[in-house]
Each structure stands twice: as structure tokens, then as C-alpha cells.
């Protein structure tokens, strides 16, 4: 049953990725010439270019996860495949979105930082695409981090991780004067994305308190039961 669930989830993930690529194929194709030519301008300073390079680098990320898994298996480390996939996934799936979020605007360095501290006020201006993008920023971190670190294997902790990571991004936008609005709604949506992703990966990291089968049951004994009578 668990194997069937994993196959279904993996199939849904592949279908979702393929659908997303089909929807954004034209914007990505516009950035392809600059990226393939190795130009920074038009590739790494645009959202479409960063996403194009992220998708193009997926085979290399998979290769890195495989090499780490082989190395761990050679030294006898437990859960080699899962730990390696989690490490590569949470880094490779988070860095590009953080890069996009911290891209400087046209007035970077010249205008003062802007802050929006009223909850739910900016959701209307985000729109469906903006909300969807913010949900994805820390989704990979929320999905893979509890699989790698046992201390994060609970939904409240994944949510706290999302809040902390998103708050750091918003503070960086304000301190570096990137001509972006540091909004509390961004923190809420980013953290919600991390928590939802953590909920999706829960079957792989959920703790199950099980008593080993070879462990003898505990029997209550009186204090004087162990005394030897002469």
C-alpha cells in the first residue's frame, strides 16, 4: 500500500511538473538564447532565465544526489538514498526561488525600503500567479528538510522554519534596499507553502512509535520481589 502511494505521488508530481513546463514554455524559450550563450544579462537577472536554468540543471541535480547516495552506501550510512535526495532537493529547489525573490528592482539602492505590516492587505495585489509563486519559494525546503533532519519532523516545526526563512528574506530585501516591498503577507504565504509541502512529504518522515518485536514486555514488580530469601 505504501509503495502504491509513493508511485501515485511521484506520478502526480511528474504530471504537475510537465503541466507547469507546458504553461510557461514560451517565456522560458524567450530566455533560452541568452542562457545558452552564457550571458548574465537576459538570463540570470530575469525570472524566466533562472527558471530555465533550473529546469535544465535537473539532470545534474539528480546525478549529484546519486553520487552522494553511492558514497553513503559505501560507508554504511543508514537511509543513504533518502538523505542524499533530501539534501540536494532542499538546496536545489530553494536557492533559485530565493534568487528570484531577492532580484533588485529598477530603483534598487536609490529608494528606501518599503514595509507592509498589515496582514492580508497585499493578497489582492498578488493575484493567483503571485500567490502561487510565493507558495513555491520555500516549498522544497518544507518538503525535504523534515526528511533529512529528525528535529524538524513535525508540521509546527516545518511551519516555524518557513516563517523564519521567509522573515530573513523580507529583512534582506529591506536592508539591501532592493526596491521590493517587505510584506507580512509574503511571510504568511511562504510559510504556508512550506507547511503544505511538509504535509505532502509526511508519509516519508512521520515518526511512528513502535515497540520492537524482540523487546520483552515490561512487568511491574514489587520492591521486595527481587529480594532473595535465605
Amino acid at each position: 500500500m505504501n509503495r502504491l502511494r509513493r508511485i501515485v505521488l511521484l506520478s502526480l508530481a511528474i504530471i504537475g511538473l510537465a503541466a507547469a513546463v507546458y504553461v510557461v514554455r514560451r517565456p522560458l524559450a524567450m530566455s533560452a538564447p541568452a542562457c545558452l550563450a552564457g550571458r548574465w544579462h537576459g538570463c540570470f537577472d530575469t525570472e524566466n532565465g533562472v527558471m530555465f536554468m533550473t529546469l535544465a540543471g535537473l539532470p545534474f541535480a539528480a546525478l549529484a544526489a546519486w553520487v552522494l547516495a553511492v558514497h553513503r552506501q559505501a560507508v554504511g550510512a543508514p537511509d543513504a538514498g533518502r538523505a542524499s535526495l533530501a539534501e540536494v532537493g532542499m538546496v536545489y529547489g530553494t536557492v533559485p526561488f530565493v534568487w528570484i525573490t531577492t532580484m533588485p528592482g529598477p530603483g534598487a539602492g536609490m529608494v528606501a525600503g518599503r514595509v507592509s505590516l498589515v496582514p492580508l492587505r497585499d493578497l489582492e495585489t498578488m493575484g493567483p500567479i503571485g500567490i502561487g509563486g510565493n507558495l513555491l519559494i520555500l516549498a522544497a525546503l518544507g518538503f525535504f528538510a523534515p526528511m533529512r533532519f529528525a528535529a524538524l519532523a513535525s508540521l509546527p516545526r516545518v511551519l516555524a522554519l518557513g516563517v523564519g526563512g521567509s522573515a530573513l528574506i523580507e529583512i534582506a530585501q529591506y536592508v539591501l534596499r532592493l526596491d521590493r516591498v517587505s510584506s507580512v503577507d509574503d511571510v504568511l504565504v511562504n510559510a504556508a507553502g512550506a507547511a503544505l509541502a511538509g504535509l505532502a512529504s509526511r508519509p516519508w518522515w512521520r515518526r511512528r512509535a513502535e515497540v520492537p518485536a524482540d523487546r520483552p514486555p515490561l512487568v511491574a514488580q514489587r520492591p521486595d520481589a527481587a529480594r532473595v530469601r535465605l
Side-chain angles (χ1 to χ4, degrees):
M1 190 67 180
N2 291 334
R3 184 176 182 181
L4 178 61
R5 183 190 306 174
R6 295 177 183 178
I7 294 175
V8 171
L9 290 176
L10 181 60
S11 301
L12 291 176
I14 294 175
I15 294 173
L17 179 61
V21 172
Y22 178 79
V23 171
V24 300
R25 68 191 188 282
R26 292 183 178 178
L28 294 180
M30 294 174 60
S31 301
C35 293
L36 295 176
R39 294 196 299 266
W40 181 276
H41 180 65
C43 182
F44 292 101
D45 61 346
T46 64
E47 296 179 1
N48 294 333
V50 173
M51 293 309 301
F52 175 83
M53 294 301 295
T54 301
L55 293 174
L58 282 176
F60 300 98
L63 178 62
W66 178 76
V67 171
L68 284 176
V70 171
H71 173 70
R72 281 194 168 98
Q73 289 178 351
V75 299
D79 293 333
R82 181 179 301 183
S84 302
L85 177 62
E87 288 177 357
V88 175
M90 66 181 175
V91 174
Y92 194 81
T94 303
V95 171
F97 288 103
V98 175
W99 180 275
I100 291 174
T101 306
T102 54
M103 282 183 180
M110 297 180 292
V111 298
R114 292 168 292 171
V115 179
S116 177
L117 298 178
V118 180
L120 307 181
R121 187 178 69 179
D122 298 330
L123 291 180
E124 295 182 0
T125 60
M126 288 183 184
I129 297 178
I131 294 176
N134 279 305
L135 287 173
L136 292 175
I137 290 176
L138 299 178
L141 184 65
F143 188 93
F144 290 108
M147 294 172 57
R148 178 61 182 87
F149 303 105
L152 297 175
S154 71
L155 286 179
R157 295 179 182 179
V158 173
L159 181 62
L161 177 65
V163 171
S166 182
L168 289 176
I169 294 174
E170 299 302 310
I171 293 173
Q173 290 177 348
Y174 178 80
V175 172
L176 299 177
R177 301 173 64 184
L178 298 178
D179 191 19
R180 289 178 173 267
V181 179
S182 299
S183 172
V184 67
D185 285 345
D186 288 338
V187 175
L188 296 177
V189 178
N190 295 347
L196 290 174
L199 183 62
S201 67
R202 191 178 181 184
W204 287 278
W205 54 259
R206 183 174 50 190
R207 293 180 178 177
R208 297 174 181 176
E210 298 179 350
V211 179
D214 57 346
R215 182 177 177 180
L218 297 178
V219 179
Q221 296 181 352
R222 293 181 303 172
D224 58 344
R227 296 180 181 176
V228 179
R229 294 184 179 180
L230 300 177

